[in-house]
Amino acid sequence: MSSGGLAGLVALVAAPGSAKVGFYNTSCPNVEALVRQAVTAAFAKNSGVAPGLIRLHFHDCFVLGCDASVLLSVNPGGGRTERDAAPNNPSLRGFDVIDAAKAAVERSCPRTVSCADILAFAARDSVNLTGNLFYQVPSGRRDGRVSTENDALSNLLGPNSTAQVLIDGFAKKSLTVEDMVVLSGSHTIGRSHCASFLFRNLQRLASGTISPAYQALLEALCPPNPGQFAPNTTEIDVSTPAVLDNNYYKLLPLDLGLHFSDDQLIRNATLAPFARAFAADEAMWKAKFAAAMVKMGNIEVKTGAQGEIRLNCSVFNPGSSSSAAGIEMLFPSGTSSSDVAAEEVATS
């Protein structure tokens, strides 16, 4: 598909009255360049930040909409936050990259750009760095003031989800079956912790739905009883783990899908035709992936007077008198935005 055709397809996805392309053209025209600089700098140190930021955006949007609630380290109502929940802790990464981008943006355009938009831009830039795929990102989202562990547990889909659970979970977010299979292709980059696949894959080995040689490699990598915080990880795509391409779909018929949920894409009669089509046509998958990312980025967005423009992405604004405190948290005394960028270290 041509770049013009892709732009048109993406434009159709952004519904009127929601986020829109060019929202900051006047108020902060350099915001996307500043975010791109922060993401590119982090990616140069550790390419693992790219899949981390894409996943961070996904996990944000699926819980209370795309409102940066996943970034909050403190629950305004007390208790544990989304980032404390088992599906996110310790596997989510990229928080420091968002903080570095936010610091640079605040220096240039104070109190103007939401953390939710910065996260959406960063996810797009991660797609571009790993897959040479660029698309316009609608913006104008506002940041939420609620983040609870229970919301994450009840909305995020796990690696052991069946095809029907996946279909139903995406449908609740107004995403189609095709959207689900398309977005699953993001697993072509990134890593996964042993606890996410080892036990269920023993059942797959017994049923003949995972390569015995592949399972043997995974068992050699992982401890026999990996817990939530076991540090061992492996690439999800064993062929091109650092490139956003369609090889993920090509591996599934070879019984080389890492997770049970990945394998479901070829075991279910409704999902399998999509997986086969994307394995055969990378250009088509990439065009649909860009459109699906925009569509996902529009889930339950807060705009206008809803929410707030958070000053510190990990802490909600306590009130109008908190502005100075928020800026101080972003830039401690004697620290410049260039210092923050220099000290930012990508997660592994």
Side-chain angles (χ1 to χ4, degrees):
M1 179 176 290
S2 68
S3 59
L6 176 56
L9 181 60
V10 169
L12 287 174
V13 174
S18 57
K20 64 179 183 180
V21 172
F23 181 84
Y24 297 109
N25 280 355
T26 301
S27 60
C28 192
N30 60 338
V31 58
E32 294 189 47
L34 292 171
V35 174
R36 189 176 303 115
Q37 288 169 10
V39 173
T40 302
F43 182 79
K45 298 175 185 177
N46 184 343
S47 62
V49 303
L53 289 167
I54 295 170
R55 185 167 181 258
L56 194 60
H57 183 43
F58 174 88
H59 280 221
D60 180 40
C61 291
F62 261 62
V63 184
L64 305 178
C66 308
D67 66 349
S69 56
V70 73
L71 303 179
L72 287 170
S73 60
V74 177
N75 182 355
R80 291 160 62 91
T81 64
E82 292 173 32
R83 62 195 285 181
D84 295 320
N88 293 333
N89 185 20
S91 59
L92 275 192
R93 52 185 173 174
F95 297 102
D96 50 351
V97 184
I98 299 301
D99 287 343
K102 176 64 170 176
V105 171
E106 280 296 318
R107 285 295 194 194
S108 181
C109 315
R111 310 175 192 177
T112 302
V113 181
S114 69
C115 298
D117 280 340
I118 289 174
L119 179 52
F121 292 141
R124 184 272 311 280
D125 295 336
S126 298
V127 170
N128 190 35
L129 285 167
T130 54
N132 194 29
L133 174 63
F134 183 87
Y135 54 91
Q136 295 290 342
V137 174
S139 53
R141 301 169 187 81
R142 305 270 289 181
D143 298 324
R145 292 174 56 89
V146 175
S147 179
T148 71
E149 178 184 33
N150 286 340
D151 283 328
L153 293 174
S154 60
N155 283 279
L156 294 175
L157 301 166
N160 295 324
S161 298
T162 64
Q164 194 58 54
V165 169
L166 293 170
I167 292 169
D168 293 345
F170 274 69
K172 290 177 181 176
K173 306 301 175 182
S174 298
L175 296 172
T176 67
V177 169
E178 183 180 49
D179 293 331
M180 187 271 288
V181 182
V182 167
L183 291 170
S184 294
S186 64
H187 283 184
T188 191
I189 54 175
R191 305 181 67 85
S192 183
H193 286 72
C194 290
S196 296
F197 58 81
L198 189 64
F199 300 121
R200 191 61 184 263
N201 283 359
L202 293 173
Q203 299 173 12
R204 290 176 60 198
L205 184 64
S207 65
T209 57
I210 188 171
S211 161
Y214 185 35
Q215 178 64 10
L217 288 174
L218 297 175
E219 291 181 17
L221 168 73
C222 298
N225 294 293
Q228 177 183 348
F229 296 99
N232 310 64
T233 64
T234 190
E235 295 92 351
I236 304 176
D237 176 342
V238 296
S239 60
T240 55
V243 181
L244 190 86
D245 56 23
N246 68 336
N247 279 343
Y248 164 81
Y249 300 102
K250 297 177 181 179
L251 294 173
L252 298 181
L254 303 177
D255 295 334
L256 294 175
L258 180 62
H259 304 111
F260 176 81
S261 58
D262 296 321
D263 186 65
Q264 286 286 282
L265 301 189
I266 60 164
R267 307 299 171 188
N268 179 275
T270 301
L271 308 183
F274 292 113
R276 289 194 295 267
F278 300 147
D281 191 335
E282 181 172 285
M284 176 182 69
W285 171 69
K286 282 190 170 182
K288 289 181 179 291
F289 184 78
M293 285 291 288
V294 172
K295 187 176 179 181
M296 183 189 74
N298 212 31
I299 295 175
E300 300 171 28
V301 296
K302 297 170 178 63
T303 59
Q306 299 173 314
E308 64 185 10
I309 301 298
R310 212 177 292 155
L311 298 175
N312 180 331
C313 289
S314 63
V315 183
F316 72 101
N317 298 340
S320 57
S321 62
S322 67
S323 297
I327 294 295
E328 181 65 21
M329 284 187 283
L330 278 166
F331 302 107
S333 178
T335 302
S336 68
S337 59
S338 59
D339 294 331
V340 173
E343 293 173 4
E344 184 275 317
V345 178
T347 53
S348 60

